[in-house]
Amino acid sequence: MLSSALKQSMALAVVMAVLAGCSSTSTTDSGGMADTGPVSTGTASGVDLSSTQVVEEPMPELNTVFYFDFDKSVLKAETRAELTAHAGYLRTDPRPIRLEGHGDERGTREYNMALGERRAKSVRDFLVLQGVDASLIEVVSYGEEYPAVMGTTEAAYSMNRRVELK
């Protein structure tokens, strides 16, 4: 069953990578004729680029919080799929990121700091294996210090066992 989930995740990642690589603009008009006319310097599609300010596009809306099972730092299948999409964008548009590891309040502070670090490093290692430059990734552990949800229920604990990509 795990093998099947892994195969599905990898197939999804490949499809997402192909779709990301296929994003281009058409050079045909509504009549199906290709635009083969000359383009002067400083213009593209009739827009003067000399007066246009270049604005860096933000990363697309992807999940930036990844959850873990109790006392684990192993990535879930859905997390791997989401991180594969992040890796695709970070390869084409490298930028520094910070991975913040967290744990729930069970266990000692020292243990939760170490667990948060292991979780963040597992995310980092996966991104690096996907081709992201390791020098752009900062790993930080907050342990149990910054819970996302207050409370002593399993639902609250599960929301606090996370890594946040910032």
Side-chain angles (χ1 to χ4, degrees):
M1 176 152 172
L2 178 61
S3 176
S4 175
L6 181 59
K7 286 179 183 177
Q8 289 176 344
S9 296
M10 293 308 291
L12 176 64
V14 169
V15 169
M16 290 171 45
V18 168
L19 290 176
C22 292
S23 62
S24 63
T25 58
S26 174
T27 59
T28 60
D29 61 7
S30 60
M33 302 284 289
D35 181 12
T36 57
V39 177
S40 63
T41 305
T43 65
S45 304
V47 177
D48 183 7
L49 297 177
S50 62
S51 64
T52 306
Q53 182 180 10
V54 177
V55 178
E56 183 179 317
E57 291 188 31
M59 284 181 68
E61 294 298 319
L62 295 173
N63 188 14
T64 58
V65 181
F66 311 102
Y67 296 98
F68 291 81
D69 290 330
F70 173 70
D71 201 26
K72 302 283 185 208
S73 59
V74 176
L75 299 176
K76 297 179 179 182
E78 61 269 14
T79 299
R80 284 190 217 105
E82 292 165 349
L83 288 172
T84 300
H86 275 287
Y89 290 107
L90 291 169
R91 282 191 313 268
T92 59
D93 184 17
R95 61 179 75 191
I97 61 169
R98 183 176 61 239
L99 299 172
E100 299 177 350
H102 299 270
D104 60 36
E105 66 183 39
R106 296 176 286 187
T108 65
R109 288 186 176 199
E110 294 80 12
Y111 180 81
N112 287 326
M113 289 293 285
L115 182 58
E117 184 173 2
R118 284 195 309 272
R119 289 173 173 162
K121 284 182 175 181
S122 70
V123 171
R124 179 202 60 197
D125 293 346
F126 185 85
L127 290 171
V128 170
L129 286 173
Q130 298 298 313
V132 177
D133 184 358
S135 68
L136 296 175
I137 303 173
E138 176 186 9
V139 171
V140 178
S141 177
Y142 292 114
E144 63 188 64
E145 299 303 314
Y146 297 103
V149 177
M150 299 300 290
T152 57
T153 64
E154 182 54 40
Y157 291 150
S158 68
M159 298 299 290
N160 293 330
R161 298 187 301 255
R162 68 195 190 280
V163 169
E164 295 184 26
L165 187 150
K166 295 189 177 186

